[in-house]
Amino acid sequence: MEQPADDAEWWKHAVVYQVAPRSFHDSNGDGIGDLGGLLERMDHFSWLGVDAVWLCPIYPTPNRDFGYDVSDFCALAPEMGTMEQLDELIARLHERDIRLLLDFVPNHTADDHAWFRASRSSRADPQRDWYVWRDGAANGGAPNNWLSRFGGSAWEWDEGTGQYYYHAFLKEQPDLNWYNPSVRAAMHDVLRFWLRRGVDGFRVDAAAVLAEDDLLRDDPPDPEAEEMPPPGRLKRAYSDDRPETLGYIEEIRAVVDEFPDRVLLAEVDVASGDPGRFYGFDTPRFHLPLNYVLLDCSWEPDALGAEIDAYFASVMSHGWPNWVIGSHDKPRIASKIGYDKVGIAAVLLFTLPGTAILYQGDEIGMPDVEIPRDRVRDPFALRVPGFGLGRDPHRVPMRWSPGPNADFTTGEPWLPMGAIESGSTVAEQAADEMSLLHLFRRLIRFRHSALCPRDSFRPWRNQAGVMLFERHGRAGRHLVAANLSGGRRLLDLKLRGTVAISTRPDREATRLDGPLELKRDEALVLHIESD
Ligand code: NOJ
Ligand code: CA
């Protein structure tokens, strides 16, 4: 595996490609993407040049939350495929120097998981305490006011045993009781099970919500959130991000560190404060608490520059930065900033210091797809309607080539494909060197050949709506210029150099010896000539 010269940890320079397997490629015509489909599409990963593939959950599931409700942590969903296929996938990716990361869902199980079935069978069951059971409040009703992220109370009454159980998400996703050492030991063994199979790490789901306040104190109202969807109207002071969770994360990390060279990505809310605690101080926690700044913040140039600066300021002393431009949970970058600016997002993603993470379809600029009412599948959309919270629009199947269902399936796709514009599929863009897909590929190659993880980073002042920063290292000085102004710009930077990469491929390798002209929505990397 090619190691960056000045930094041995592979994940620091890595490009991680997130796959939602249900929507990647279907090999058997049931309309659901699967491991067979991943095996068939393996060339896409190596052609693009990614270093790691992260798969959303592939475990047995009743699909109330599309795989994030796991019925058995150490098995595969029949519709995904077989263990033999997974072993083949790992082996064939490794042959290509590509790592495989799985999703680890520690906070909850599906309600048909054997552990929960035992736990709810009787108050005397040995696994009763594996989940969070409580009596109702003295005056009747749920034990406290905590809210499910997916709407309504976070407590569900169980008629059979006369108590409530806690669920941060759906009632069909009961929370595990992480205070219980047997639960932690069982979850550690889940990690070891996959690590022994050759998996290179995990993305840890809902990683900050493992523990809840043991006193069950009510969450206070959030005065700033009155207009928010109902699940967001309380501050999750006692039901989220408790100090105990950080200790459990350290234990998870220690298990992963039993195996060499593995990595932990984690879904936490880094925007809500100092992300340092998720990296750990003396005792390590996560390698990469995921950073969604590029997806969440405004793309007004000064605002974006300030967010990037604030993120670096909060992360640099603790750990390694990372950047994400897509996710199965968030509106697509192409829909957020417009297709014409996706090239700018790619330039930032691959040239800002830190690990780069993209989501399937970002490389062809896939947009969100409007889902007809009768095809909505996401429980979030169904349970909290009217706020545009549905995640189906970002989860529609990959578009491989023109033709029926964009060659995703020979059957009926589980979500609609949406209207597919000419030139928007992988095959068409692969055949067109001017395409977005080729830009992603060139940028990844450039990153691996000309940048090093610890090349210095120096922001410049934004000029006329153009964001500017410099990377300096073994391959010299590079200036990154991203024209977010919405118009053409001419900047007198008093520099000479050669365009290494541009969103306009025709100007690559051209010399600059005078003012820098940037077309609308252009971003480029200039190799600065030293005097
Ligand atoms: C975060 C996952 O990314 C999301 O898709 C899921 O619904 C929740 N966690 C619950 O597991
Ligand atoms: Ca299938």
Side-chain angles (χ1 to χ4, degrees), residues 66 81 116 132 135 163 251 314 368 432 460 464 485 494 531:
F66 295 100
F116 189 66
V132 184
D135 293 331
Q163 279 191 312
E251 292 178 359
S314 64
D368 287 328
D432 172 8
W460 291 23
S485 69
K494 303 192 172 32
D531 295 320

PDB file of all heavy atoms in Angstrom, residues 66 81 116 132 135 163 251 314 368 432 460 464 485 494 531:
ATOM      1  N   PHE A  66     -33.728   0.923   7.559  1.00  0.00           N
ATOM      2  CA  PHE A  66     -32.865   0.519   6.453  1.00  0.00           C
ATOM      3  C   PHE A  66     -31.449   0.133   6.872  1.00  0.00           C
ATOM      4  O   PHE A  66     -30.464   0.692   6.415  1.00  0.00           O
ATOM      5  CB  PHE A  66     -32.931   1.562   5.329  1.00  0.00           C
ATOM      6  CG  PHE A  66     -34.312   1.566   4.777  1.00  0.00           C
ATOM      7  CD1 PHE A  66     -35.226   2.525   5.160  1.00  0.00           C
ATOM      8  CD2 PHE A  66     -34.744   0.512   3.993  1.00  0.00           C
ATOM      9  CE1 PHE A  66     -36.537   2.465   4.740  1.00  0.00           C
ATOM     10  CE2 PHE A  66     -36.059   0.425   3.569  1.00  0.00           C
ATOM     11  CZ  PHE A  66     -36.956   1.404   3.946  1.00  0.00           C
ATOM     12  N   GLY A  81     -26.245 -10.726   0.688  1.00  0.00           N
ATOM     13  CA  GLY A  81     -25.382 -11.769   0.135  1.00  0.00           C
ATOM     14  C   GLY A  81     -24.841 -12.664   1.224  1.00  0.00           C
ATOM     15  O   GLY A  81     -25.421 -12.755   2.309  1.00  0.00           O
ATOM     16  N   PHE A 116     -32.867  -8.520  22.616  1.00  0.00           N
ATOM     17  CA  PHE A 116     -34.038  -7.763  23.065  1.00  0.00           C
ATOM     18  C   PHE A 116     -35.219  -8.695  23.330  1.00  0.00           C
ATOM     19  O   PHE A 116     -35.987  -8.490  24.271  1.00  0.00           O
ATOM     20  CB  PHE A 116     -34.422  -6.676  22.055  1.00  0.00           C
ATOM     21  CG  PHE A 116     -35.484  -5.746  22.585  1.00  0.00           C
ATOM     22  CD1 PHE A 116     -35.222  -4.904  23.662  1.00  0.00           C
ATOM     23  CD2 PHE A 116     -36.765  -5.727  22.035  1.00  0.00           C
ATOM     24  CE1 PHE A 116     -36.205  -4.059  24.177  1.00  0.00           C
ATOM     25  CE2 PHE A 116     -37.751  -4.881  22.540  1.00  0.00           C
ATOM     26  CZ  PHE A 116     -37.462  -4.040  23.613  1.00  0.00           C
ATOM     27  N   VAL A 132     -32.508  -0.422  28.333  1.00  0.00           N
ATOM     28  CA  VAL A 132     -32.774   0.619  29.330  1.00  0.00           C
ATOM     29  C   VAL A 132     -34.252   0.556  29.726  1.00  0.00           C
ATOM     30  O   VAL A 132     -35.101   1.147  29.057  1.00  0.00           O
ATOM     31  CB  VAL A 132     -32.408   2.005  28.749  1.00  0.00           C
ATOM     32  CG1 VAL A 132     -32.587   3.097  29.799  1.00  0.00           C
ATOM     33  CG2 VAL A 132     -30.982   2.007  28.200  1.00  0.00           C
ATOM     34  N   ASP A 135     -39.471   2.181  35.252  1.00  0.00           N
ATOM     35  CA  ASP A 135     -40.885   2.317  35.613  1.00  0.00           C
ATOM     36  C   ASP A 135     -41.410   3.645  35.087  1.00  0.00           C
ATOM     37  O   ASP A 135     -40.618   4.579  34.854  1.00  0.00           O
ATOM     38  CB  ASP A 135     -41.045   2.299  37.138  1.00  0.00           C
ATOM     39  CG  ASP A 135     -40.694   0.922  37.718  1.00  0.00           C
ATOM     40  OD1 ASP A 135     -40.885  -0.084  36.998  1.00  0.00           O
ATOM     41  OD2 ASP A 135     -40.220   0.879  38.869  1.00  0.00           O
ATOM     42  N   GLN A 163     -43.166  -2.183  32.068  1.00  0.00           N
ATOM     43  CA  GLN A 163     -42.179  -1.100  32.172  1.00  0.00           C
ATOM     44  C   GLN A 163     -42.004  -0.443  30.805  1.00  0.00           C
ATOM     45  O   GLN A 163     -42.461  -0.959  29.782  1.00  0.00           O
ATOM     46  CB  GLN A 163     -40.821  -1.649  32.634  1.00  0.00           C
ATOM     47  CG  GLN A 163     -40.711  -1.861  34.131  1.00  0.00           C
ATOM     48  CD  GLN A 163     -39.274  -2.148  34.562  1.00  0.00           C
ATOM     49  OE1 GLN A 163     -38.608  -2.986  33.968  1.00  0.00           O
ATOM     50  NE2 GLN A 163     -38.814  -1.446  35.592  1.00  0.00           N
ATOM     51  N   GLU A 251     -12.861   2.375  25.368  1.00  0.00           N
ATOM     52  CA  GLU A 251     -12.811   0.904  25.367  1.00  0.00           C
ATOM     53  C   GLU A 251     -12.938   0.353  23.941  1.00  0.00           C
ATOM     54  O   GLU A 251     -12.249  -0.589  23.558  1.00  0.00           O
ATOM     55  CB  GLU A 251     -13.951   0.344  26.228  1.00  0.00           C
ATOM     56  CG  GLU A 251     -13.792   0.640  27.706  1.00  0.00           C
ATOM     57  CD  GLU A 251     -14.967   0.124  28.552  1.00  0.00           C
ATOM     58  OE1 GLU A 251     -15.941  -0.452  27.988  1.00  0.00           O
ATOM     59  OE2 GLU A 251     -14.908   0.303  29.768  1.00  0.00           O
ATOM     60  N   SER A 314     -10.299  24.229  16.071  1.00  0.00           N
ATOM     61  CA  SER A 314     -10.764  23.341  17.136  1.00  0.00           C
ATOM     62  C   SER A 314     -10.139  21.960  17.051  1.00  0.00           C
ATOM     63  O   SER A 314     -10.074  21.248  18.040  1.00  0.00           O
ATOM     64  CB  SER A 314     -12.293  23.231  17.091  1.00  0.00           C
ATOM     65  OG  SER A 314     -12.690  22.639  15.884  1.00  0.00           O
ATOM     66  N   ASP A 368     -30.402  15.349  -5.240  1.00  0.00           N
ATOM     67  CA  ASP A 368     -31.513  14.751  -4.505  1.00  0.00           C
ATOM     68  C   ASP A 368     -32.655  14.510  -5.481  1.00  0.00           C
ATOM     69  O   ASP A 368     -32.852  15.292  -6.418  1.00  0.00           O
ATOM     70  CB  ASP A 368     -31.989  15.703  -3.401  1.00  0.00           C
ATOM     71  CG  ASP A 368     -31.007  15.760  -2.250  1.00  0.00           C
ATOM     72  OD1 ASP A 368     -30.355  14.740  -1.968  1.00  0.00           O
ATOM     73  OD2 ASP A 368     -30.874  16.839  -1.645  1.00  0.00           O
ATOM     74  N   ASP A 432     -16.071  10.820 -21.096  1.00  0.00           N
ATOM     75  CA  ASP A 432     -15.924  12.245 -21.403  1.00  0.00           C
ATOM     76  C   ASP A 432     -14.881  12.869 -20.463  1.00  0.00           C
ATOM     77  O   ASP A 432     -15.142  13.067 -19.277  1.00  0.00           O
ATOM     78  CB  ASP A 432     -17.288  12.930 -21.206  1.00  0.00           C
ATOM     79  CG  ASP A 432     -17.199  14.440 -21.315  1.00  0.00           C
ATOM     80  OD1 ASP A 432     -16.127  14.950 -21.692  1.00  0.00           O
ATOM     81  OD2 ASP A 432     -18.208  15.098 -20.991  1.00  0.00           O
ATOM     82  N   TRP A 460      -5.312  32.407   2.726  1.00  0.00           N
ATOM     83  CA  TRP A 460      -5.136  33.783   2.270  1.00  0.00           C
ATOM     84  C   TRP A 460      -6.457  34.508   2.516  1.00  0.00           C
ATOM     85  O   TRP A 460      -7.486  33.870   2.737  1.00  0.00           O
ATOM     86  CB  TRP A 460      -4.810  33.837   0.779  1.00  0.00           C
ATOM     87  CG  TRP A 460      -3.456  33.318   0.394  1.00  0.00           C
ATOM     88  CD1 TRP A 460      -2.677  32.436   1.091  1.00  0.00           C
ATOM     89  CD2 TRP A 460      -2.744  33.650  -0.799  1.00  0.00           C
ATOM     90  NE1 TRP A 460      -1.524  32.188   0.405  1.00  0.00           N
ATOM     91  CE2 TRP A 460      -1.522  32.920  -0.769  1.00  0.00           C
ATOM     92  CE3 TRP A 460      -2.992  34.476  -1.892  1.00  0.00           C
ATOM     93  CZ2 TRP A 460      -0.582  33.003  -1.782  1.00  0.00           C
ATOM     94  CZ3 TRP A 460      -2.052  34.555  -2.903  1.00  0.00           C
ATOM     95  CH2 TRP A 460      -0.852  33.843  -2.844  1.00  0.00           C
ATOM     96  N   ALA A 464     -12.636  39.180  -3.541  1.00  0.00           N
ATOM     97  CA  ALA A 464     -13.775  39.351  -4.445  1.00  0.00           C
ATOM     98  C   ALA A 464     -14.583  38.067  -4.591  1.00  0.00           C
ATOM     99  O   ALA A 464     -14.970  37.665  -5.690  1.00  0.00           O
ATOM    100  CB  ALA A 464     -13.276  39.820  -5.822  1.00  0.00           C
ATOM    101  N   SER A 485     -17.855  33.425  -6.216  1.00  0.00           N
ATOM    102  CA  SER A 485     -18.494  34.735  -6.342  1.00  0.00           C
ATOM    103  C   SER A 485     -19.767  34.704  -7.174  1.00  0.00           C
ATOM    104  O   SER A 485     -20.581  35.617  -7.119  1.00  0.00           O
ATOM    105  CB  SER A 485     -17.520  35.722  -6.984  1.00  0.00           C
ATOM    106  OG  SER A 485     -17.324  35.357  -8.345  1.00  0.00           O
ATOM    107  N   LYS A 494       0.030  38.465  -8.377  1.00  0.00           N
ATOM    108  CA  LYS A 494       1.483  38.680  -8.484  1.00  0.00           C
ATOM    109  C   LYS A 494       2.243  37.359  -8.274  1.00  0.00           C
ATOM    110  O   LYS A 494       3.150  37.247  -7.457  1.00  0.00           O
ATOM    111  CB  LYS A 494       1.932  39.746  -7.487  1.00  0.00           C
ATOM    112  CG  LYS A 494       1.197  41.065  -7.689  1.00  0.00           C
ATOM    113  CD  LYS A 494       1.803  42.197  -6.921  1.00  0.00           C
ATOM    114  CE  LYS A 494       1.220  43.546  -7.247  1.00  0.00           C
ATOM    115  NZ  LYS A 494      -0.193  43.624  -7.623  1.00  0.00           N
ATOM    116  N   ASP A 531      10.931  31.885  -7.324  1.00  0.00           N
ATOM    117  CA  ASP A 531      11.767  32.830  -8.097  1.00  0.00           C
ATOM    118  C   ASP A 531      13.191  32.317  -8.256  1.00  0.00           C
ATOM    119  O   ASP A 531      13.695  31.588  -7.459  1.00  0.00           O
ATOM    120  CB  ASP A 531      11.773  34.191  -7.391  1.00  0.00           C
ATOM    121  CG  ASP A 531      10.360  34.773  -7.409  1.00  0.00           C
ATOM    122  OD1 ASP A 531       9.691  34.645  -8.438  1.00  0.00           O
ATOM    123  OD2 ASP A 531       9.936  35.300  -6.356  1.00  0.00           O
TER     124      ASP A 531
END
